[in-house]
Amino acid sequence: AGAALAALLVRYLAGGGDNTLRLPLAGAALSSLFMALVALIVLTQPEARNVYRFWMVGSLAMARLPELAVLASVAGLGILIAALVARQIEALMLGAEMGSALGLNVERVMGFGLTAVALCAGASVAIAGPVGFVGLIAPHFARRILPQASLTQQVALACPVGAGLALFADLAGRWLARPSELQLGLVLAMLGAPAFMALIRRMIREGA
């Protein structure tokens, strides 16, 4: 529900068109606002601090089958929507004007795309916390593996790549700190930050 509300507000603040720059700016502004509200709740509700700290780091320890069953249906709906509009979104990479010339309803395609993102990201974050490096690294790995493939194929490959990265990080955290464990988010940050910086450096070099 929170992800759906945030998506609607981001869409409203970004306005019409393809919103290439306005969408992330609106998202960053709302993220700051919501984090301030979360901090206010945590400060006024001391019993929520331990749960919040554990969730904020990111972990699969709270994943239980009943919750997974509910959230899997939410994420499944998001994946289905993404699959249905993938080709239209790929056409929009040429720009909103070109998409309109090809007969696309830009507003509708962007709306469905944002809905898919909200459903998938909302379900994932609800069960595992804000494990951000999966979404940053997996698409780049998929693009490196299939450089000539379509966007649809690259996104399809990014799904198992991201799942594999999360599983590897979770197992590594359990093995390195046994009999305790390092939370998934910590391990992914330690592995993902250097890899992401190397990717950025390589992209800059190729651009130069």
Side-chain angles (χ1 to χ4, degrees):
L5 175 62
L8 289 173
L9 289 174
V10 167
R11 181 64 176 161
Y12 173 76
L13 291 176
D18 56 351
N19 311 317
T20 304
L21 180 60
R22 285 175 291 170
L23 271 176
L25 289 177
L30 280 175
S31 178
S32 299
L33 172 61
F34 288 149
M35 289 303 297
L37 293 176
V38 169
L40 176 62
I41 294 172
V42 171
L43 288 174
T44 56
Q45 301 290 332
E47 64 275 7
R49 291 178 186 173
N50 289 332
V51 176
Y52 173 72
R53 282 189 302 176
F54 187 78
W55 176 84
M56 190 63 188
V57 173
S59 174
L60 296 178
M62 293 185 291
R64 300 288 186 269
L65 286 178
E67 289 84 356
L68 284 173
V70 174
L71 294 173
S73 62
V74 175
L77 178 59
I79 292 172
L80 177 61
I81 294 173
L84 292 175
V85 298
R87 291 187 180 277
Q88 290 91 328
I89 292 176
E90 191 168 0
L92 285 182
M93 292 176 67
L94 301 173
E97 293 183 0
M98 182 63 71
S100 298
L102 293 174
L104 296 179
N105 186 324
V106 176
E107 289 286 333
R108 185 170 62 183
V109 172
M110 291 293 293
F112 277 120
L114 190 59
T115 299
V117 170
L119 290 172
C120 293
S124 302
V125 172
I127 201 68
V131 185
F133 275 101
V134 173
L136 289 172
I137 298 173
H140 290 284
F141 280 173
R143 184 172 295 178
R144 295 292 177 183
I145 296 171
L146 296 175
Q148 304 301 323
S150 65
L151 176 65
T152 305
Q153 293 171 324
Q154 290 176 349
V155 171
L157 178 61
C159 293
V161 169
L165 285 172
L167 181 59
F168 173 79
D170 188 56
L171 292 174
R174 295 172 188 270
W175 180 75
L176 291 172
R178 63 183 187 278
S180 184
E181 72 171 280
L182 288 174
Q183 274 72 29
L184 170 65
L186 294 177
V187 179
L188 273 173
M190 289 187 290
L191 295 175
F196 192 59
M197 287 187 286
L199 281 171
I200 292 175
R201 185 173 179 82
R202 185 171 179 178
M203 290 168 63
I204 292 174
R205 285 180 176 178
E206 291 177 353

